[in-house]
Amino acid sequence: MENVYFNVYREHMMGLPILGEINNIHKITRDMIVGFHQRMYFGENMTIVGTGNVEHEMLVDLAEKHFGKL
């Protein structure tokens, strides 16, 4: 899939490899991932989008059920 993005977005950052340099990947720790998640995944920083044949009330109910505590 990375090759597709490279060819489609050759002159854009979307064409860069997803994973990055292997040396940088090996430096990632569990604590770094947990910290990122805690800093970035909170209610005011999230958007819920429904597409297609989705009933608004059902989407609202599901969002409240699964993300209401955020």
Side-chain angles (χ1 to χ4, degrees), residues 32-47 70:
M32 291 168 72
I33 294 171
V34 169
F36 176 82
H37 189 272
Q38 290 172 339
R39 284 190 316 277
M40 303 304 287
Y41 284 76
F42 55 93
E44 292 84 8
N45 202 28
M46 295 175 72
T47 302
L70 296 178

Side-chain angles (χ1 to χ4, degrees), residues 27-60:
K27 293 177 185 175
I28 297 173
T29 65
R30 181 184 188 284
D31 289 339
M32 291 168 72
I33 294 171
V34 169
F36 176 82
H37 189 272
Q38 290 172 339
R39 284 190 316 277
M40 303 304 287
Y41 284 76
F42 55 93
E44 292 84 8
N45 202 28
M46 295 175 72
T47 302
I48 298 173
V49 178
T51 62
N53 188 18
V54 180
E55 293 181 23
H56 178 74
E57 286 303 316
M58 180 186 284
L59 182 62
V60 171

